[in-house]
């Protein structure tokens, strides 16, 4: 019986554990926190629970496949509902634009907001982002370890022209200028780069595939995203995995050049035939799991870190602005915001603000509970290991944030708040400085610099949002599945394990 230790019970670790336990391997997951989920965490504020991590679920098909692969169905464990109304965007009291799941409805709204020519260009933009997605889904997103050469090699000759047409060398911002003449629309769609913690001014245009991903559907998980983590943990346990919470891994044991187990902070040693690390790869490179394994990944320099955040999880009363579930209030100076974040490494003086009104859905916008649950986020530099934000800095950031919401018409009266800063994120996700999305996706080669699931060390595998294909709930889940598939393939090729095939992943035949 093969024994596997998985470090971390975030979505990547849980997915890997589920896939391996389903195939009969002995799996132990060690998680330093008291509950599963990692970044997909839940907070309790004023006696009410709310999501304090991801709030937008996309690419539901990934989770459908993962649960189906484990012989069950997502719908048996959580209730998810698609949103018609993707988000409400605001620039001031009277500049508002809604986007919808239906492209034509969005085009109409854009026409009313910025004129018919922009609506026409928006349709062209949707066709372009769809093309990016379709070109990259199989050879990049679904591949466990893509490289530029493999990507080019996978294309029939005629598609190389298509690949070139995706403008991979252009920045997101520059490419958006070809589609949108209204700076507000360029800003709105440029924001997708921040979904992987990057600046639209530095990220490659190909990241705009995220716009298509959202266009394909945004779902709400009833009861909060954390229910998804609980469901993955429950099914993994039912398939035989053992989940050990409040259990920190201290060192990966290496015997004869092969990962052979994990030593816990308590000194206990868990022997294993393979180890999957789903903590941020920056922690591996920084030697947090021992010097011997540090060299298996390249270090992540401070300048390469993705964004962190300051978040306010609140129970509050709101007036003035008709919030929907997802709301974005844009900075009046986007270039200055990213110059602050990445250039100067400081909190922006005029941040873009995301507000998730977690009690509101299309059917509950009116007549909702008051006070209600709000999750508010502004991007912050990942400096949590070098600089603890002072009370004065936090106060100034709050004044800028809530002042801008007021100017846009949203008056929030807070009953209770839990604030999380980059230093808090650094404590939860060590050696990251609070970076929430691994390495930033700056420059056209950045996506190929994320490590894949296999490493140079036999028996050591990586997964999670800092590995390929990158941060996000579905993508971290894809990475967990890839790690499981790579491990099974290696076991099969060395004859230590019977043949098995993983749906959607690599076959071990
Ligand atoms: C505020 C916020 C908002 C976000 N919004 C969205 C969104 O709307 N949509 C979306 O798709 N994504 C979003 N994301 C990103 C998404 O949440 C993450 O990319 C994804 O959840 C990461 O999963 P992961 O597998 O990398 O694991 P993580 O969640 O990073 O979990 C890793 C786990 O490893 C554990 N660990 C680390 N070191 C050790 C150790 N030594 N021993 C034991 N355990 C250890 C940690 O405690 C943690 O539980 C958001 C993230 C944040 C923080």
């Amino acid at each position: 019986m093969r024994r596997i230790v998985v470090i971390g019970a975030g979505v990547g670790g849980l997915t890997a554990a589920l896939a391996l336990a389903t195939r009969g391997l002995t799996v132990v997951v060690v998680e330093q926190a008291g509950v599963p989920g990692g970044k997909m965490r839940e907070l309790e504020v004023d006696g009410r629970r709310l999501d304090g991590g991801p709030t937008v679920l996309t690419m539901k098909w990934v989770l459908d496949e993962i649960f189906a692969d484990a012989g069950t169905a997502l719908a048996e464990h959580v209730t998810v509902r698609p949103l018609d109304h993707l988000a409400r965007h605001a620039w001031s009291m009277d500049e508002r634009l809604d986007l919808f799941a239906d492209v034509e409805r969005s085009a109409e709204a854009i026409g009313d907001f910025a004129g018919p020519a922009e609506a026409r260009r928006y349709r062209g933009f949707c066709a372009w982002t769809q093309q990016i997605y379709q070109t990259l889904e199989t050879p990049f997103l679904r591949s466990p370890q893509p490289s530029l050469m493999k990507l080019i090699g996978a294309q029939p000759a005629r598609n190389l022209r298509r690949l070139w047409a995706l403008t991979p060398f252009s920045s997101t911002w520059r490419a958006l200028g070809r589609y949108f003449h209204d700076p507000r629309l360029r800003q709105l769609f440029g924001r997708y780069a921040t979904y992987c913690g990057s600046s639209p001014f530095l990220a490659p245009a190909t990241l705009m595939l995220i716009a298509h991903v959202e266009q394909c559907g945004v779902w709400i998980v009833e009861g909060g995203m954390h229910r998804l983590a609980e469901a993955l943990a429950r099914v993994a346990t039912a398939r035989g995995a053992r989940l050990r919470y409040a259990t920190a891994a201290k060192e990966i044991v290496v015997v004869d050049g092969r990962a052979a187990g994990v030593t816990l902070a308590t000194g206990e040693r868990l022997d294993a035939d393979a180890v999957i690390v789903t903590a941020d790869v920056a922690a591996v490179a920084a030697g947090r799991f021992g010097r011997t394994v540090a060299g298996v990944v390249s270090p992540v320099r401070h300048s390469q870190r993705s964004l962190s955040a300051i978040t306010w999880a609140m129970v509050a009363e709101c007036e003035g602005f008709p919030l929907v579930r997802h709301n974005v209030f844009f900075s009046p100076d986007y270039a200055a915001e990213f110059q602050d974040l990445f250039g100067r490494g400081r909190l922006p003086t005029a941040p873009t603000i995301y507000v998730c009104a977690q009690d509101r859905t299309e059917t509950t916008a009116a007549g909702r509970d008051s006070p209600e649950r709000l999750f508010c986020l502004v991007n912050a530099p990942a400096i949590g290991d070098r600089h603890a934000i002072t009370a004065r800095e936090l106060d100034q950031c709050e004044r800028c944030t809530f002042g801008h919401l007021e100017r846009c018409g949203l008056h929030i009266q807070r009953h209770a708040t839990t604030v999380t800063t980059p230093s808090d994120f650094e404590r939860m996700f060590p050696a990251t400085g609070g970076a929430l999305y691994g390495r930033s996706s700056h420059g056209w080669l950045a996506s190929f610099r994320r490590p894949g699931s296999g490493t140079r060390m036999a028996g050591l595998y990586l997964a999670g949002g800092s590995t390929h294909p990158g941060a996000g709930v579905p993508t971290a889940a894809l990475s967990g599945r890839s790690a499981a598939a790579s491990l099974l393939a290696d076991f099969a090729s060395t004859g230590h394990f019977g043949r098995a095939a993983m749906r959607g992943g690599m076959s071990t035949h």
Side-chain angles (χ1 to χ4, degrees):
M1 185 68 88
R2 295 273 142 186
R3 292 158 307 173
I4 315 299
V5 175
V6 178
I7 301 177
V11 68
L14 291 171
T15 303
L18 174 57
L20 294 173
T22 299
R23 276 157 192 79
L25 280 78
T26 300
V27 181
V28 178
V29 181
V30 292
E31 167 56 58
Q32 65 188 6
V35 290
K39 296 185 178 79
M40 201 155 46
R41 67 196 184 121
E42 185 173 59
L43 297 169
E44 191 172 312
V45 181
D46 213 16
R48 293 173 72 182
R49 291 162 158 219
L50 74 166
D51 279 327
T55 51
V56 178
L57 177 64
T58 54
M59 294 168 72
K60 179 173 126 345
W61 58 266
V62 173
L63 292 156
D64 284 330
E65 285 184 12
I66 284 164
F67 279 87
D69 181 55
T72 178
L74 177 66
E76 283 179 31
H77 304 276
V78 288
T79 307
V80 300
R81 272 180 294 117
L83 276 180
D84 285 337
H85 208 145
L86 296 186
R88 176 157 293 162
H89 307 87
W91 286 262
S92 65
M93 193 77 90
D94 44 25
E95 294 166 287
R96 288 177 195 165
L97 171 64
D98 291 355
L99 287 186
F100 301 92
D102 175 25
V103 171
E104 273 316 302
R105 210 169 152 203
S106 295
E108 240 173 68
I110 288 174
D112 292 343
F113 180 73
E118 287 295 81
R120 199 180 55 248
R121 286 190 283 267
Y122 167 70
R123 291 189 188 93
F125 170 74
C126 290
W128 173 58
T129 57
Q130 179 177 17
Q131 196 182 346
I132 299 177
Y133 183 85
Q134 285 172 347
T135 309
L136 297 181
E137 184 187 329
T138 304
F140 183 78
L141 268 184
R142 283 183 181 266
S143 161
Q145 211 137 14
S147 70
L148 185 61
M149 295 322 287
K150 277 197 239 165
L151 182 63
I152 292 172
Q155 307 294 322
R158 69 176 186 291
N159 276 7
L160 286 177
R161 218 174 306 126
R162 254 178 96 185
L163 204 57
W164 188 256
L166 302 182
T167 60
F169 305 116
S170 178
S171 74
T172 296
W173 190 254
R174 187 188 286 253
L176 283 169
R178 294 210 326 262
Y179 288 95
F180 299 109
H181 298 179
D182 187 316
R184 295 168 303 179
L185 294 175
R186 205 169 168 187
Q187 193 179 15
L188 189 162
F189 292 105
R191 188 173 180 300
Y192 288 119
T194 65
Y195 282 27
C196 49
S198 304
S199 159
F201 299 95
L202 300 169
T206 40
L207 265 198
M208 280 300 99
L209 67 81
I210 300 172
H212 179 70
V213 161
E214 258 207 22
Q215 200 59 67
C216 290
V218 170
W219 281 264
I220 291 182
V221 179
E222 218 155 79
M225 289 282 281
H226 185 70
R227 301 284 87 74
L228 199 51
E230 288 177 340
L232 284 166
R234 213 169 35 246
V235 182
T237 306
R239 297 292 174 273
R242 180 159 174 235
L243 273 67
R244 293 182 60 178
Y245 300 115
T247 304
K250 187 161 177 256
E251 188 162 8
I252 293 170
V253 178
V254 179
V255 176
D256 296 335
R258 184 183 173 92
V262 170
T263 306
L264 304 178
T266 54
E268 184 187 350
R269 176 170 157 165
L270 306 177
D271 291 327
D273 297 290
V275 176
I276 301 180
V277 185
T278 72
D280 198 290
V281 295
V284 179
R288 300 292 177 106
F289 296 102
R291 283 280 140 219
T292 326
V293 296
V296 303
V297 283
S298 328
V300 181
R301 292 195 301 272
H302 288 175
S303 60
Q304 294 174 319
R305 286 175 173 173
S306 59
L307 290 167
S308 185
I310 295 191
T311 66
W312 292 265
M314 301 174 270
V315 171
E317 278 173 76
C318 301
E319 267 180 26
F321 186 97
L323 288 170
V324 293
R325 177 76 166 209
H326 303 296
N327 311 270
V328 183
F329 299 83
F330 280 103
S331 157
D333 190 343
Y334 220 32
E337 180 177 1
F338 287 96
Q339 185 52 29
D340 278 339
L341 289 166
F342 286 107
R344 301 196 176 91
R346 68 181 191 197
L347 291 173
T349 45
T352 294
I353 306 150
Y354 165 69
V355 178
C356 181
Q358 299 189 10
D359 291 308
R360 305 198 188 207
T361 64
E362 270 113 0
T363 48
T364 59
R368 66 193 182 278
D369 289 348
S370 186
E372 63 183 303
R373 298 171 305 159
L374 296 182
F375 181 67
C376 175
L377 177 151
V378 299
N379 290 313
I383 51 172
D385 49 349
R386 282 175 286 155
H387 173 78
I389 293 191
T390 62
R392 191 150 162 244
E393 285 169 319
L394 187 61
D395 184 55
Q396 192 188 349
C397 179
E398 283 202 9
R399 274 189 278 118
C400 296
T401 302
F402 291 90
H404 186 45
L405 295 178
E406 289 270 340
R407 283 191 293 283
C408 291
L410 177 61
H411 312 292
I412 299 180
Q413 210 191 333
R414 291 191 259 165
H415 289 213
T417 311
T418 297
V419 181
T420 307
T421 66
S423 310
D424 299 322
F425 285 121
E426 157 70 22
R427 271 190 288 282
M428 288 182 266
F429 312 110
T432 61
L436 297 170
Y437 315 88
R439 195 185 283 261
S440 65
S441 295
H442 292 163
W444 67 278
L445 273 177
S447 303
F448 298 103
R449 294 214 170 98
R450 265 188 223 106
S453 48
T455 70
R456 308 198 267 283
M457 180 176 284
L460 182 62
Y461 300 85
L462 304 171
S466 63
T467 69
H468 170 77
V473 169
T475 35
L478 281 173
S479 77
R481 192 168 73 170
S482 283
S486 301
L487 184 156
L488 290 168
D490 290 346
F491 279 6
S493 72
T494 51
H496 289 311
F497 187 69
R499 290 168 173 225
M502 279 190 60
R503 182 195 156 107
M506 188 187 289
S507 163
T508 62
H509 285 243

